[in-house]
Amino acid sequence: MSTATAWPYPFWIAHRGAGKHAPENTLAAFRSGAAHGWRMFECDVKLSHDGVPYLMHDATLDRTTNGQGPAAELPWSALARLDAGAWHSRRWAGEPLPTLENLLRWCIANHLLLNIEIKPIPGAEYATGQAVAELVAAIWPSHLPLPLLSSFQRPALQGAQAARPEQPRALLLDAWEDDSLTHARTLGCLALVCHYPLWDATRVSAAHQNGLRALSYTVNDPAAARHLIALGTDGIITDEIALFGPASR
């Protein structure tokens, strides 16, 4: 099967909003990325203790907030009071964690696109995928391409698939397995998003022959980007928003 499905997303995707130029997964980061001309952004989403989808990569609060310990133990009312910017630099001190709803509404207002990585805590994989898909369905307008929902966790994608099968999904891979393409097809995915060294000509061709787009994370080296472009891959996620041009290849 060839890659016939329409692909509405740009080739370049800004990682966690603005890569490392602003505190990751905050609205400040997305505003910074948009100011550099980027049109599509990747973010990480998990659920608070009381079930609110919000943006954070790590399982613990220590690296990117002034909190400590497991993020999953706190309700949104407590998470909302944390400083998620001062760790990066004084310029961003006081920047709060955003909910996924905050980010969705900002993207809609600015006609920008999203790749939402479903980043669940252990045991909440299915529920997180379900909650993300339901929230997107409740908010996202029909005139914009739907966010691409991705995850390393297959149960998270199953939850999203069960809740809203029409929403586009992608399987994230940090290691290639013989049945990776089968898993992606079973989950109704439109793409594989791989750690970029995993791609070679054979795997790109196999993905395309199975109707899947081939995307890469996190590519910050120009030589690696040129290699992936030459292979015929379909998208690159990067931290280097000032180095790479979001409209060029």
Side-chain angles (χ1 to χ4, degrees):
M1 181 169 63
S2 63
T3 307
T5 304
W7 188 250
Y9 308 112
F11 184 84
W12 292 99
I13 303 168
H15 188 224
R16 302 181 193 172
K20 299 175 181 177
H21 293 252
E24 64 183 59
N25 284 316
T26 66
L27 287 180
F30 296 96
R31 292 189 183 103
S32 180
H36 280 79
W38 288 73
R39 296 175 43 239
M40 185 168 178
F41 303 94
E42 186 264 359
C43 68
D44 303 291
V45 174
K46 46 177 39 77
L47 293 182
S48 67
H49 187 69
D50 52 347
V52 176
Y54 73 100
L55 274 58
M56 178 173 280
H57 177 273
D58 295 6
T60 59
L61 300 167
D62 305 66
R63 182 177 67 89
T64 58
T65 78
N66 63 339
Q68 293 181 325
E73 294 180 356
L74 295 182
W76 175 247
S77 60
L79 292 166
R81 294 195 295 269
L82 296 175
D83 182 338
W87 69 274
H88 183 276
S89 59
R90 290 181 63 185
R91 176 183 179 186
W92 305 112
E95 186 68 25
L97 292 170
T99 64
L100 177 57
E101 181 172 352
N102 294 150
L103 179 60
L104 290 173
R105 293 194 184 281
W106 179 82
C107 286
I108 292 165
N110 290 281
H111 297 88
L112 298 170
L113 304 181
L114 270 180
N115 166 203
I116 301 171
E117 181 182 342
I118 305 167
K119 200 85 174 176
I121 62 169
E125 293 87 354
Y126 193 93
T128 307
Q130 207 169 28
V132 168
E134 292 286 7
L135 181 58
V136 169
I139 293 175
W140 202 259
S142 59
H143 67 274
L144 289 175
L146 283 163
L148 178 65
L149 309 184
S150 63
S151 188
F152 290 100
Q153 304 296 325
R154 293 198 291 271
L157 292 174
Q158 289 168 346
Q161 182 182 28
R164 296 288 173 172
E166 73 279 6
Q167 291 182 11
R169 294 174 299 282
L171 179 62
L172 277 157
L173 295 175
D174 56 10
W176 190 272
E177 301 173 355
D178 291 341
D179 53 1
S180 292
L181 296 173
T182 300
H183 286 313
R185 290 198 308 268
T186 300
L187 292 163
C189 290
L190 298 183
L192 284 173
V193 185
C194 291
H195 183 39
Y196 71 92
L198 296 178
W199 288 119
D200 58 25
T202 299
R203 289 173 179 172
V204 172
S205 177
H208 287 168
Q209 287 299 312
N210 280 272
L212 297 165
R213 302 286 175 155
L215 280 69
S216 301
Y217 75 91
T218 303
V219 184
N220 297 326
D221 175 65
R226 288 193 296 271
H227 175 66
L228 292 163
I229 291 167
L231 287 177
T233 61
D234 303 289
I236 285 176
I237 299 168
T238 184
D239 292 313
E240 293 293 349
I241 64 166
L243 177 62
F244 296 117
S248 64
R249 294 197 207 181

